[in-house]
Amino acid sequence: MTAPTGRLTTHVLDTASGNPAAGLVIELYGLSGENRTLIKTVTTNADGRCDAPLLADELMAAGTYELVFHAGDYLRLEGIRLQKPAFLDIIPIRFGIADKNAHYHVPLLISPYGYSTYRGS
């Protein structure tokens, strides 16, 4: 049996400013039924990316996952005045990994009043 060679990556772009979202906190959870387990917490770098894949090699496994983006905290640090409560604060994206040998890229485009995601390459 060969070890998985896939990886999970993400990046965040601030569409309101047109810049990478540097300093945004992201949590990765593994899901099993109603159980949610924190796998890791990372902060985006100056390019709005993580310094390493969120999952790779033997940690990459088929299953259901959730990325939780702390967009409200990031926007506040950028000086954006948000309503209380903020329209978008915590953005969870739940997705599945079917092939542990594939590259799964889950980008996030954010602004104070909208977001978009897709399976990137």
Side-chain angles (χ1 to χ4, degrees), residues 60-77:
M60 186 74 169
T64 304
Y65 296 88
E66 185 174 76
L67 285 169
V68 177
F69 297 86
H70 291 260
D73 290 344
Y74 160 79
L75 292 166
R76 287 181 198 93
L77 287 173

Side-chain angles (χ1 to χ4, degrees), residues 28-32 35-40:
L28 172 64
Y29 290 89
L31 303 168
S32 178
N35 296 322
R36 188 173 174 238
T37 304
L38 179 64
I39 297 171
K40 69 171 52 174

Side-chain angles (χ1 to χ4, degrees), residues 1 17 33 40 47-48 51-53 55 80 87 89 103 106 108 113-114 118:
M1 181 180 219
S17 70
K40 69 171 52 174
D47 196 34
D51 290 329
L55 293 174
I80 306 294
F87 180 70
D89 194 7
H103 178 197
V106 184
L108 181 68
Y113 295 99
Y118 53 94

Side-chain angles (χ1 to χ4, degrees), residues 3 12 34:
V12 186
E34 296 297 315

Side-chain angles (χ1 to χ4, degrees), residues 38-119:
L38 179 64
I39 297 171
K40 69 171 52 174
T41 302
V42 297
T43 302
T44 56
N45 62 24
D47 196 34
R49 298 178 184 274
C50 303
D51 290 329
L54 297 168
L55 293 174
D57 302 324
E58 63 277 346
L59 295 178
M60 186 74 169
T64 304
Y65 296 88
E66 185 174 76
L67 285 169
V68 177
F69 297 86
H70 291 260
D73 290 344
Y74 160 79
L75 292 166
R76 287 181 198 93
L77 287 173
E78 289 296 300
I80 306 294
R81 229 180 143 139
L82 301 178
Q83 296 176 337
K84 292 182 183 178
F87 180 70
L88 294 175
D89 194 7
I90 305 292
I91 300 173
I93 299 175
R94 196 168 280 193
F95 60 96
I97 291 177
D99 180 357
K100 64 185 179 182
N101 294 306
H103 178 197
Y104 287 80
H105 185 66
V106 184
L108 181 68
L109 308 175
I110 62 167
S111 76
Y113 295 99
Y115 71 92
S116 175
T117 190
Y118 53 94
R119 181 173 175 191

